[in-house]
Structure formats: C-alpha cells, structure tokens
C-alpha cells in the first residue's frame, strides 16, 4: 500500500527535503512517472537507492506529524515504523516535495510466545 507525505516550502523540513532531492537528482538517472495524491501532483520522481535510504530517514518526517505545513495519510505509528526495507520515492511538487513510501507495516508485529503481551 502506498503512503504519502507532502512537505511544503514553509515547513521546517523544506531545506532538508530540497537538499535531499538535489542530491538524489545528481545520483539517480531515471525518473519515475508523475503521480497524483489528493490535490498534489508530483513530477520528476526519483527512486531512492538502497544505500541512500538513510538520508530519507534522517530527514525525520515524524517530527512534523502535527505541523500544518506537512500533509500525510500516515499516522505517527507509520512514520516511526519506516526503515530501510521500505521503498521510497521523492517527487518534486508545485510548492514542496512529495514522499511516497511502499512497504510500511500496517500494524505492530506480534510478540511474545502467544503473539501478544501477557501482562
């Protein structure tokens, strides 16, 4: 399932997103097709290579989960569960950057012998 996050130019993460996009633009040669999420159009998408996924994670999008300048369809749990196993694509949008994530778990993994906490 695809998950989206839009960082606007007024966000605290705008400079980090711009730097990340410019860095990826120099390294990645193939562009993904345009994508539409709600009223936001993403173009010139760049698929994040495995060795650069930590750069997306270091942007720390979960710090902006209550910001009016960050729009997402994820809750805080989804943002905290992002790791290197997720597929990540960064798009340029009209007034910001659109992050697309695939492979984020829907819920926590079972734990303990019975698959849940016995406390």
């Amino acid at each position: 399932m695809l998950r989206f996050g839009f960082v606007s130019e007024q966000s605290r993460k705008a400079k980090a997103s711009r730097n990340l996009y410019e860095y990826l633009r120099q390294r990645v040669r193939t562009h993904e097709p345009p994508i539409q999420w709600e009223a936001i159009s993403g173009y010139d998408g760049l698929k994040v290579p495995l060795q650069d996924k930590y750069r997306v994670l270091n942007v720390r999008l979960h710090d902006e989960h209550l910001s009016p300048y960050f729009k997402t369809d994820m809750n805080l749990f989804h943002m905290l569960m992002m790791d290197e196993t997720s597929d990540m694509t960064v798009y340029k949008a009209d007034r910001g950057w659109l992050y697309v994530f695939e492979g984020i778990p829907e819920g926590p993994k079972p734990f303990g012998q019975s698959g849940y906490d016995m406390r």
Side-chain angles (χ1 to χ4, degrees):
M1 176 175 213
L2 292 178
R3 297 287 182 175
F4 299 91
F6 173 71
V7 177
S8 70
E9 291 175 345
Q10 292 84 19
S11 173
R12 293 181 298 168
K13 302 297 180 177
K15 184 175 181 183
S17 294
R18 182 183 313 109
N19 290 340
L20 172 68
Y21 185 80
E22 292 301 322
Y23 173 80
L24 290 173
R25 205 169 77 176
Q26 293 173 358
R27 300 205 22 145
V28 178
R29 296 292 175 221
T30 59
H31 291 281
E32 297 294 313
I35 194 166
Q36 178 79 25
W37 174 63
E38 294 184 358
I40 302 167
S41 298
Y43 53 90
D44 291 339
L46 302 170
K47 192 147 191 88
V48 180
L50 179 63
Q51 65 270 19
D52 292 324
K53 288 185 179 183
Y54 75 93
R55 292 179 186 274
V56 175
L57 298 175
N58 285 344
V59 173
R60 299 177 55 96
L61 292 175
H62 61 273
D63 289 345
E64 291 285 295
H65 77 282
L66 292 176
S67 171
Y69 304 113
F70 178 67
K71 188 173 183 181
T72 185
D73 63 347
M74 298 181 278
N75 60 30
L76 184 57
F77 172 79
H78 293 127
M79 288 190 270
L80 291 172
M81 292 304 294
M82 280 191 273
D83 59 4
E84 293 85 15
T85 60
S86 305
D87 290 330
M88 305 172 188
T89 309
V90 182
Y91 290 87
K92 180 71 178 123
D94 289 334
R95 293 176 303 277
W97 296 266
L98 182 64
Y99 290 84
V100 179
F101 301 98
E102 187 173 4
I104 296 176
E106 289 298 315
K109 294 180 182 174
F111 60 96
Q113 286 181 327
S114 302
Y116 55 89
D117 191 4
M118 296 295 292
R119 289 183 262 166

